[in-house]
Amino acid sequence: MTRITVQGLGLVGGFGTGCGALAQALALGRSPRSSLEVPTGAGPVLLDAFRADTGALKDLISPKVLRRMDHITRMALLAARLALADAGLEASGHEGLGVVLASGYGATASTYGLLDSMINDGDACTSPTHFANSLHNACSGNLAIALGANGPNLTVSQFDLSVPSALLSARQWLLDGRVERVLFGAVDELSDLTGYLWYRQHGPTGPGPMSPLRTRAASALPGEGAAFLLLSSRAEAQPGYCTLENVVLGPGPMPPTRNLLVLGADGRTATGARYAAAAEGAQVACFTPLYGSMPVAPAFDLAVAALMLRAGTLYPTPSGAPCDFPCVVAPAGPLAGQGLTCLALGDDGAFGSVAMRPISP
Amino acid sequence: MNRTEPVALTGLGCICALGSTVDACCAGLFQDQRHLAPPSRFTSAHAIRYPVFEVRGFPEVPGLLRTSALALHAAREALADAGLDAAALQGLRVGVVVGTTVGSTMNDEGFCRAHRADEEPGLAPMERILNSNPAAVLARTFGLRGPCQTVVNACSSGTDALGVGAAWIRGGLCDLVLAGGADELGRITYNGFISLKITDEAPCRPFDRDRKGLNLGEGAAMVVLEGAASHRRRNRRARSFLLGYGSACDAYHPTAPEPQGAGLKRAIAEALAGAGLPPEAMAFVNAHGTGTPENDRVESRALQAVLPGVPYFSTKGFTGHTLGAAGAIEAVFTAVCLEQGRIPANLGFSTPDPELGGTPVAQATTVTGLAALSESLAFGGNNAVVVLGKGEQA
């Protein structure tokens, strides 16, 4: 059986940039909040949000190239470069490297830019740049160019299940021997569109922390960011973070597992009760309060799981309000070789689970 | 890449400007039908009314994107063709993978217009999009219990979806996969392609010296992919076999193909290796052939280099460029052409272009081979190829 390992992580989100920033947030149990100004009919509304700062890219990319890049591509490229560096790989020239990207909403700012150009300037002045950037796979195409990654390239959009769905194909490529390495990533952005959507669905954000393990508490905060994992089926020089054991998708319920569950619950009432049902009787952890609610948050769950499996230590679940799920919140401490399963639920009752294990010597 | 296990196509479904069934569409290919006209479902302020290939008379489904409704239509035909009803599907692990470009894009012009005018638009248009993810719609409608994936690889999405579905079957993840592509025509896509200056105001002329661009189209095609065990158990005739799939990214330019067709050549090589067949075993190539100057130049030259002497044609002159649906529609056409032992004329071609190094099939022709290749090129530098084999006798 082919063994797939996670060799590198690249992250940018509300907690900051890089694995160190996420590890620090995990240790502290909180991330700094920022804000998002949302245009509404009653004037701008300010929401609390977890925003990603891509300023670190200016040290990696020429200003000329950077100027042409939209925010979602900047987040993805920064995280991709960090994942490659973390895996000990060069920044470019990746002959045959596979790229798989998941995005729930895609390039919503460029989509609005495209529509703005049509609405404000007329059909004949539709922006070709915004049109090209509005396509879901523009981001992965730009990544391929920037990284010289000329292997297979796949973008998947399955809203809240984008991450497990895309990961299923990334894993299959490795098992089939199509490629030996896949740069797997996920990205979603906050924009006028997604901000408004959020505001209308959830209302103003509250002052308290996210409390995702309470069934009826609407405590979600919007987030954005990119999380990339360098997956490999090679016998790599460095041991890596963990192994990717399995990815399962279906209409639910999830098959039983002995692994500790990392729940994708994010304080939305729409899914709270179903996460509670899925977690019944299990030992769980949940880290969404560190990066917020977004369709691709499960990719950050994978990154946290990878960090914990390599360290052999379970980080504490950031405490919000008390848990009312019928489960046990696992205390911080040694993992003792235990595997982790990251669970994501879609709005329609479907689930996606990703099982990961520590690397055995 | 090693040789891969063939995956049976036991059901086909298709809807496009040529017709609303596989039979109607394929009959149209051999009757030189071209239902090209200015858009009837939307208006635009362009001085030129660029013609398109619409699916006329297709009913709108409340609360559902037209893209997903088209996918559902094709899926119903494919399932019926495969002899699968709701009861038969219940006991099987059935996955669904659909390629699209606009099927999950958060772009509603009316919503944006109201929002930008400082109004407070209701969320119904956005909820309609969120409720219309094409793969999720099919899974929900047919009660499918396997994995679900919407591929958004621009114009290669439909071909990639077939490759993904076949991999799921070979990997033991599913007994069956409903795979294909779907895309609708709308003002945003229409204006977007015109802004790129790659749209022809006349009928498109793939591989012709005087080609000026593409005509947009819409439609959907779905196939039932079936693993060997399920295929044997159900004793259902395979209409074709997916023998190989390959894909590669140019990593060159966001919207233009790499001039030497390097990515396309790698994708073809992977698909042939998977099929375990040499280039000369290909009876024909159903090319991407959009009619844009750059695509056709790169594609034609790549075909001369790696598949010399193999007849090729584009069906975009019959259907227009149906974007995320194109690869799936053309795979269905390829399967039927193998089945019927004939290929259509490359509609729109009349004058050879010396720059291309070859000419497409100028008139309907009989073919005798057992395998053929269908390929798609896309924005983002994606290239995707499937090798299909002739099916079993009826």
Side-chain angles (χ1 to χ4, degrees), chain B residues 33-223:
Chain B
Q33 286 183 16
R34 180 153 54 191
H35 306 295
L36 184 67
S40 68
R41 293 179 43 255
F42 57 86
T43 58
S44 89
H46 288 282
I48 297 168
R49 297 184 74 201
Y50 291 88
V52 295
F53 288 90
E54 284 179 321
V55 178
R56 300 279 175 138
F58 186 75
E60 302 297 326
V61 178
L64 204 61
L65 289 181
R66 184 174 170 88
T67 296
S68 299
L70 289 165
L72 264 175
H73 178 96
R76 288 195 174 102
E77 185 189 8
L79 289 169
D81 189 34
L84 290 162
D85 57 17
L89 290 171
Q90 280 310 304
L92 298 167
R93 291 172 305 158
V94 185
V96 56
V97 51
V98 184
T100 187
T101 60
V102 302
S104 55
T105 303
M106 309 288 285
N107 63 359
D108 186 276
E109 188 182 348
F111 178 90
C112 179
R113 200 177 280 277
H115 191 201
R116 289 309 199 203
D118 291 334
E119 295 170 15
E120 195 86 13
L123 294 189
M126 289 296 125
E127 284 165 353
R128 182 165 165 257
I129 293 168
L130 294 171
N131 201 36
S132 291
N133 180 281
V137 167
L138 297 192
R140 197 165 61 227
T141 303
F142 300 115
L144 308 181
R145 303 194 63 78
C148 183
Q149 184 171 112
T150 295
V151 172
V152 280
N153 265 17
C155 304
S156 68
S157 300
T159 304
D160 285 310
L162 297 185
V164 167
W168 287 357
I169 291 204
R170 293 187 185 113
L173 303 176
C174 307
D175 302 309
L176 299 173
V177 175
L178 198 49
D183 254 322
E184 69 189 79
L185 262 171
R187 253 176 63 76
I188 299 166
T189 314
Y190 184 80
N191 285 337
F193 272 92
I194 292 169
S195 78
L196 292 171
K197 303 189 190 308
I198 54 170
T199 308
D200 199 337
E201 60 196 74
C204 65
R205 287 159 280 187
F207 301 114
D208 188 88
R209 184 194 63 190
D210 301 322
R211 66 193 183 279
K212 288 195 173 152
L214 55 81
N215 306 136
L216 286 169
E218 64 179 354
M222 298 298 301
V223 304

Side-chain angles (χ1 to χ4, degrees), chain A residues 39-42 95 104-105 108 111-112 114-116 118-119 123-124 126-128 131-132 134-137 141-142 144-145 148-159 165-166 168-169 171-173 176-178 192-193 196-197 199-201 247 249-253 348, chain B residues 1 44-46 104-109 111-113 115-116 118-123 126 129-130 133 135-136 144-154 164 167-168 171 173 187-189 191-193 195-196 245-249 251-255 266 270 379-380 382:
Chain A
T40 76
E95 185 86 16
Y105 293 144
T108 54
T111 299
Y112 247 32
L114 168 69
L115 293 170
D116 283 343
M118 281 170 55
I119 292 165
D123 291 349
T126 301
S127 163
F131 176 60
S134 74
L135 298 173
H136 269 80
N137 74 324
N142 284 319
I145 294 167
N150 65 5
N153 191 303
L154 179 72
T155 301
V156 169
S157 181
Q158 207 63 45
F159 298 129
S165 182
L168 186 76
S169 287
R171 179 173 180 267
Q172 201 59 47
W173 286 3
D176 290 347
R178 285 193 77 197
D192 285 357
L193 170 59
Y196 180 75
L197 191 60
Y199 176 68
R200 287 296 306 267
Q201 287 177 328
V247 182
L249 285 106
D348 57 359
Chain B
M1 186 73 187
S44 89
H46 288 282
S104 55
T105 303
M106 309 288 285
N107 63 359
D108 186 276
E109 188 182 348
F111 178 90
C112 179
R113 200 177 280 277
H115 191 201
R116 289 309 199 203
D118 291 334
E119 295 170 15
E120 195 86 13
L123 294 189
M126 289 296 125
I129 293 168
L130 294 171
N133 180 281
L144 308 181
R145 303 194 63 78
C148 183
Q149 184 171 112
T150 295
V151 172
V152 280
N153 265 17
V164 167
W168 287 357
L173 303 176
R187 253 176 63 76
I188 299 166
T189 314
N191 285 337
F193 272 92
S195 78
L196 292 171
Y245 161 70
S247 67
C249 186
Y252 170 75
H253 188 274
T255 56
R266 286 197 308 279
E270 185 188 6
F379 286 174
N382 286 329

Side-chain angles (χ1 to χ4, degrees), chain A residues 290-324:
Chain A
L290 303 179
Y291 26 87
S293 171
M294 64 185 124
V296 298
F300 291 93
D301 294 343
L302 298 177
V304 173
L307 285 170
M308 295 194 300
L309 286 165
R310 184 164 79 169
T313 305
L314 183 72
Y315 285 107
T317 291
S319 55
C323 169
D324 67 6

Side-chain angles (χ1 to χ4, degrees), chain A residues 3-8 230-232 234-245 305-312 335-340 355-361:
Chain A
R3 188 173 86 148
I4 298 170
T5 57
V6 177
Q7 288 290 319
L230 195 283
L231 306 174
S232 175
R234 289 186 183 184
E236 301 280 5
Q238 60 182 45
Y241 286 84
C242 60
T243 60
L244 176 63
E245 295 292 308
L307 285 170
M308 295 194 300
L309 286 165
R310 184 164 79 169
L335 273 169
Q338 187 175 17
L340 299 174
M356 303 159 90
R357 292 202 66 79
I359 288 177
S360 49

Side-chain angles (χ1 to χ4, degrees), chain A residues 16-66:
Chain A
T17 300
C19 293
L22 180 58
Q24 189 176 17
L26 285 162
L28 291 172
R30 63 177 184 276
S31 288
R33 284 191 193 200
S34 182
S35 62
L36 173 70
E37 188 178 283
V38 178
T40 76
V45 169
L46 213 57
L47 299 180
D48 278 6
F50 294 107
R51 308 296 304 272
D53 177 0
T54 58
L57 257 187
K58 70 179 189 307
D59 300 327
L60 305 173
I61 305 286
S62 81
K64 189 179 159 197
V65 174
L66 205 52

Side-chain angles (χ1 to χ4, degrees), chain A residues 95-296:
Chain A
E95 185 86 16
L97 175 70
V99 175
V100 176
L101 186 70
S103 183
Y105 293 144
T108 54
S110 282
T111 299
Y112 247 32
L114 168 69
L115 293 170
D116 283 343
S117 70
M118 281 170 55
I119 292 165
N120 298 334
D121 307 321
D123 291 349
C125 296
T126 301
S127 163
T129 305
H130 282 313
F131 176 60
N133 283 338
S134 74
L135 298 173
H136 269 80
N137 74 324
C139 189
S140 61
N142 284 319
L143 283 183
I145 294 167
L147 305 176
N150 65 5
N153 191 303
L154 179 72
T155 301
V156 169
S157 181
Q158 207 63 45
F159 298 129
D160 287 343
L161 294 180
S162 299
V163 169
S165 182
L167 190 61
L168 186 76
S169 287
R171 179 173 180 267
Q172 201 59 47
W173 286 3
L174 292 163
L175 293 178
D176 290 347
R178 285 193 77 197
V179 290
E180 292 183 320
R181 287 175 175 150
V182 174
L183 183 61
F184 172 81
V187 64
D188 264 312
E189 67 178 345
L190 288 172
S191 63
D192 285 357
L193 170 59
T194 51
Y196 180 75
L197 191 60
W198 176 274
Y199 176 68
R200 287 296 306 267
Q201 287 177 328
H202 303 282
T205 47
M210 279 172 61
S211 47
L213 300 182
R214 289 190 68 202
T215 312
R216 288 184 189 81
S219 64
L221 293 174
E224 67 173 359
F228 275 65
L229 289 76
L230 195 283
L231 306 174
S232 175
S233 59
R234 289 186 183 184
E236 301 280 5
Q238 60 182 45
Y241 286 84
C242 60
T243 60
L244 176 63
E245 295 292 308
N246 203 3
V247 182
V248 181
L249 285 106
M254 187 188 86
T257 174
R258 282 189 220 165
N259 285 352
L260 189 148
L261 286 180
V262 177
L263 296 180
D266 60 2
R268 287 180 297 155
T269 49
T271 50
R274 285 194 293 107
Y275 272 108
E280 187 171 354
Q283 279 223 319
V284 307
C286 181
F287 302 98
T288 53
L290 303 179
Y291 26 87
S293 171
M294 64 185 124
V296 298

Side-chain angles (χ1 to χ4, degrees), chain A residues 1 77 87 90 106 186 191-192 208 317 333 354:
Chain A
M1 182 68 178
L77 183 56
E90 298 293 321
S191 63
D192 285 357
T317 291
V354 180

